[in-house]
Amino acid sequence: MAFSSDLDQITRAAAGERQAVSALVNRYSPGVLALATRMLGDRGEAEDVTQETFIRAWKALPDWEPRAKFSTWLHRVALNLCYDRLRKRREATMAEPPEQVDMALRPDDALDQAERVKAVESAIAALPERQAAALTLCALQDHSQAEAADIMEISVEALESLLARARRTLRTVFMERSEA
Amino acid sequence: MTQKMTDARLIELIDAWGADANAYPVSERAAAKALLAAAPDRFSAELRAARDMDTLLGGMSDVMPSAALTAALIDSAPRTRTERRSWFASMPRWPAVGALASLAIGLAIGLGTAQTEPANTNEDAVDTLIYAALGFDTTYTLEAAQ
């Protein structure tokens, strides 16, 4: 079970054992990076968030108490860092509105896979942040409903509501594009 | 306990969790599957829309960290005291030996050539004259200068 092996690795990583540190990084950095990339829509910023998340994790390890799953805690830290960055981005946008990015699909709808993925990534990053988080955690990553709700510090019912709204918004966006 | 499933609730589940009933909350999954099996056509529009969205989301590529990022994350972890000591021990020692030797030679030369008493120079006399010109009592220092 991942939880108990986490505890062992956390204890050894807290003692500075490189092998345990590498194991934690290899196990959790893809999920953290993916969450940040989907939330921020920017690979560079997502890497910064991932680094900041792990720096906080290393600081927390010596006093780590296994009340929460390490994975849940780590994703929650990453998510809150993303929220902070999105908030700062909004403040900057209010001060100086950026140029509108044209995300329309080509009329013939002959998108290759890379373009389609990019369009979906842009659409997810454009969602309200809590909807984007719910969709990323549940539909794009392998988090259980309970874990996703725990990461977002909301109930499963609230998570379901955010998911439904996110999927509805995306559907509308892509329907409008295909009709254009 | 299996809850009773209504059409409205099943549509909510499809809207939120997609077309695959295995993704629905455990407490409602069995009832949802039963209703879908009993009336497959009644939810075909919702299921089709949900399946399109599932396909769109399922086509998203994985995001993997680069080797450089992975290395940076590992390097950002604190090291054990032993590792810090071994890092110091692995440093070349000759610069430290050289610095210590330079310090010792410098001290030896400095101590060997240092004057034991301050020299009485012309500068002292000039200073005294300037102080006298400014009205200070310099008798004692003038005598000492002579």
Side-chain angles (χ1 to χ4, degrees), chain B residues 51-108:
Chain B
R51 211 169 285 125
D52 286 348
M53 184 55 60
D54 291 343
T55 306
L56 204 61
L57 295 172
M60 299 288 283
S61 52
D62 286 341
V63 180
M64 294 306 291
S66 63
L69 177 62
T70 303
L73 295 175
I74 293 168
D75 279 350
S76 68
R79 290 170 185 274
T80 57
R81 193 171 294 172
T82 321
E83 278 180 309
R84 281 197 297 270
R85 204 184 303 127
S86 65
W87 172 81
F88 179 75
S90 68
M91 293 287 286
R93 291 191 180 138
W94 61 264
V97 172
L100 279 173
S102 304
L103 183 67
I105 291 166
L107 277 172

Side-chain angles (χ1 to χ4, degrees), chain A residues 15 38 43 58 145 160 167, chain B residues 9 23 54 61 64 76 80:
Chain A
R38 303 297 183 221
R43 175 73 185 222
W58 305 142
Q145 293 157 358
E160 183 180 302
R167 291 173 69 101
Chain B
R9 178 58 188 152
D54 291 343
S61 52
M64 294 306 291
S76 68
T80 57

Side-chain angles (χ1 to χ4, degrees), chain B:
Chain B
M1 195 178 95
T2 306
Q3 291 183 353
K4 186 178 177 339
M5 184 58 55
T6 63
D7 286 11
R9 178 58 188 152
L10 182 54
I11 289 168
E12 283 176 359
L13 291 174
I14 295 169
D15 276 351
W17 305 105
D20 182 5
N22 291 316
Y24 302 167
V26 178
S27 60
E28 298 175 281
R29 197 176 295 164
K33 283 182 175 178
L35 185 52
L36 280 170
D41 296 339
R42 208 186 313 163
F43 307 98
S44 58
E46 287 82 7
L47 285 172
R48 194 177 327 106
R51 211 169 285 125
D52 286 348
M53 184 55 60
D54 291 343
T55 306
L56 204 61
L57 295 172
M60 299 288 283
S61 52
D62 286 341
V63 180
M64 294 306 291
S66 63
L69 177 62
T70 303
L73 295 175
I74 293 168
D75 279 350
S76 68
R79 290 170 185 274
T80 57
R81 193 171 294 172
T82 321
E83 278 180 309
R84 281 197 297 270
R85 204 184 303 127
S86 65
W87 172 81
F88 179 75
S90 68
M91 293 287 286
R93 291 191 180 138
W94 61 264
V97 172
L100 279 173
S102 304
L103 183 67
I105 291 166
L107 277 172
I109 292 170
L111 287 170
T113 58
Q115 290 173 324
T116 49
E117 288 180 19
N120 203 0
T121 64
N122 285 338
E123 283 174 14
D124 294 335
V126 170
D127 285 347
T128 309
L129 284 171
I130 292 169
Y131 281 116
L134 290 169
F136 291 103
D137 181 7
T138 57
T139 316
Y140 175 76
T141 41
L142 272 172
E143 283 168 4
Q146 286 159 6

Side-chain angles (χ1 to χ4, degrees), chain A residues 81-154:
Chain A
L81 287 170
C82 289
Y83 287 159
D84 286 348
R85 280 177 181 253
L86 290 168
R87 189 165 44 244
K88 281 179 190 154
R89 207 187 275 178
R90 270 199 307 275
E91 286 165 8
T93 307
M94 277 190 279
E96 190 179 331
E99 286 180 30
Q100 285 292 312
V101 179
D102 182 13
M103 299 196 304
L105 303 188
R106 287 207 302 264
D108 60 0
D109 200 23
L111 286 174
D112 64 26
Q113 181 62 13
E115 284 174 310
R116 189 177 294 275
V117 166
K118 202 161 176 53
V120 179
E121 278 176 351
S122 303
I124 292 172
L127 286 171
E129 59 192 30
R130 281 154 52 85
Q131 290 182 29
L135 193 71
T136 302
L137 292 168
C138 291
L140 304 178
Q141 299 188 331
D142 288 334
H143 296 286
S144 67
Q145 293 157 358
E147 193 179 18
D150 210 9
I151 290 169
M152 294 185 68
E153 298 178 282
I154 56 175

